Amino acid sequence: MAWSDIGSKQALVCEAAQLEYCLASLPITVRKQLPSHLSSYHQAIGHRGAMVIPVSDPNISGLILLSPERIPKISLVTLAGKVESLTLTQTDKMTLWHELGHLHVKALEELGLLKETSAYQHEWIADCYLTWRAAKEELSVDLAWQQYHRRNMSVMKDVSFMSHWTVPVLSQLLSRYKVKDLAQFDTFEALMSDFLPDLVEKDQDTLDEFSSLIHRTFSTRTSQSLPNYMYWRKPALGHYVEPTLVKLLGKKEASLWLQQQSMLANSVTETSF
């Protein structure tokens, strides 16, 4: 059990195995906002590695429940008939930072930087927070890139993960700021105050088109060849997936793959940093 700062408030971070002890540490006014039965928490977290429950309180922003044994340590995807893998490092830390990021959404809304926040916006805000924390604490964006690749690999494997495909936003964040720039922001809210006014968000129709193109491109069950399918989205998708393909396949093979898919584009890469 640990407390973590969320602006002027705190979040209680708790492992599932210590749930009962953690709940007893919360004020009664907060506990009344949470499920009363322990089974409800275990049912809610399911097979996930973490979950966050926001609360309304002057001092406490929410409860983060972690289940470390369920946090994936490797990501897999099939490319050109071959299974490619990415070993994930510091996954417990990444998961915690992402969940803490969810609790910063309310602060951004209170500052007027965001209005009503969709579930998809929650996800990319949380990944932006992960990026900022990595820059602040490790003077590196390696973990941000790891999250970038993981998000890409998830949708390549199954487009149902589009709800967590934060890559279009992470791409802009990592293109705009170098590590030292990110680390200079004293708070996450200060970073977002600078970043959000120029952020280009994808509307749902655009995300749906990307989803369709991703499925057509990467699904192992797609047999019919349609080389011009969603051709107007291909350069942008090439831009988003190129860093991940280079990570998995190497630069030469990634370029060949993108050329075969008519997706060659000028992309931001990890080596830019």
Side-chain angles (χ1 to χ4, degrees):
M1 188 188 83
W3 291 95
S4 185
D5 292 338
I6 304 289
S8 61
K9 298 184 180 183
Q10 287 191 313
L12 181 61
V13 182
C14 175
E15 287 197 12
Q18 302 295 322
L19 178 58
E20 190 170 6
Y21 172 72
C22 286
L23 293 175
S25 304
L26 292 168
I28 188 67
T29 53
V30 172
R31 288 200 61 179
K32 285 181 177 179
Q33 300 175 48
L34 301 172
S36 55
H37 298 290
L38 295 182
S39 59
S40 300
Y41 297 88
H42 296 295
Q43 191 173 27
I45 197 170
H47 296 291
R48 293 177 294 160
M51 64 178 285
V52 59
I53 307 175
V55 298
S56 179
D57 184 82
N59 304 307
I60 298 172
S61 59
L63 170 69
I64 293 173
L65 188 60
L66 300 175
S67 188
E69 70 279 3
R70 295 195 179 109
I71 298 174
K73 301 296 188 291
I74 190 169
S75 187
L76 303 170
V77 68
T78 300
L79 291 172
K82 183 183 174 185
V83 177
E84 303 291 346
S85 65
L86 177 68
T87 300
L88 306 175
T89 62
Q90 300 189 66
T91 52
D92 290 1
K93 181 185 289 186
M94 287 180 61
T95 300
L96 174 59
W97 286 348
H98 176 84
E99 298 303 327
L100 288 170
H102 278 291
L103 292 176
H104 278 269
V105 172
K106 190 170 183 180
L108 295 174
E109 291 174 341
E110 290 172 350
L111 288 170
L113 296 172
L114 293 168
K115 296 181 180 178
E116 275 191 46
T117 313
S118 68
Y120 178 65
Q121 287 176 312
H122 257 270
E123 294 303 327
W124 61 250
I125 290 166
D127 277 353
C128 286
Y129 179 80
L130 184 160
T131 302
W132 175 75
R133 280 292 294 264
K136 288 290 282 187
E137 297 195 13
E138 304 198 345
L139 295 178
S140 166
V141 286
D142 287 352
L143 291 181
W145 277 110
Q146 180 171 279
Q147 189 78 333
Y148 183 106
H149 300 322
R150 183 183 173 198
R151 296 306 191 195
N152 268 337
M153 293 173 74
S154 292
V155 294
M156 290 173 184
K157 186 165 53 178
D158 185 348
V159 290
S160 68
F161 286 99
M162 281 296 294
S163 61
H164 287 62
W165 191 53
T166 60
V167 166
V169 175
L170 286 180
S171 177
Q172 294 177 65
L173 186 70
L174 291 166
S175 296
R176 178 168 175 175
Y177 302 100
K178 296 185 182 297
V179 176
K180 63 179 182 180
D181 301 325
L182 292 166
Q184 283 176 354
F185 289 100
D186 290 333
T187 66
F188 176 62
E189 286 71 26
L191 166 63
M192 297 307 276
S193 295
D194 188 72
F195 177 58
L196 287 175
D198 296 320
L199 171 66
V200 179
E201 284 193 73
K202 307 297 184 188
D203 59 31
Q204 191 56 52
D205 288 343
T206 300
L207 289 171
D208 288 344
E209 288 186 354
F210 274 118
S211 177
S212 185
L213 179 56
I214 289 168
H215 177 71
R216 166 61 59 178
T217 303
F218 294 100
S219 175
T220 56
R221 285 174 282 218
T222 301
S223 56
Q224 185 181 5
S225 177
L226 296 173
N228 292 321
Y229 185 77
M230 293 278 180
Y231 66 89
W232 58 93
R233 294 293 176 205
K234 285 193 171 190
L237 184 58
H239 172 86
Y240 293 138
V241 302
E242 183 177 1
T244 302
L245 294 174
V246 170
K247 181 73 174 179
L248 296 174
L249 305 175
K251 193 166 186 178
K252 185 176 179 180
E253 196 172 339
S255 295
L256 178 61
W257 188 95
L258 289 164
Q259 187 175 16
Q260 290 171 342
Q261 299 294 330
S262 303
M263 286 186 188
L264 277 176
N266 293 324
S267 298
V268 60
T269 64
E270 289 181 73
T271 54
S272 300
F273 302 86

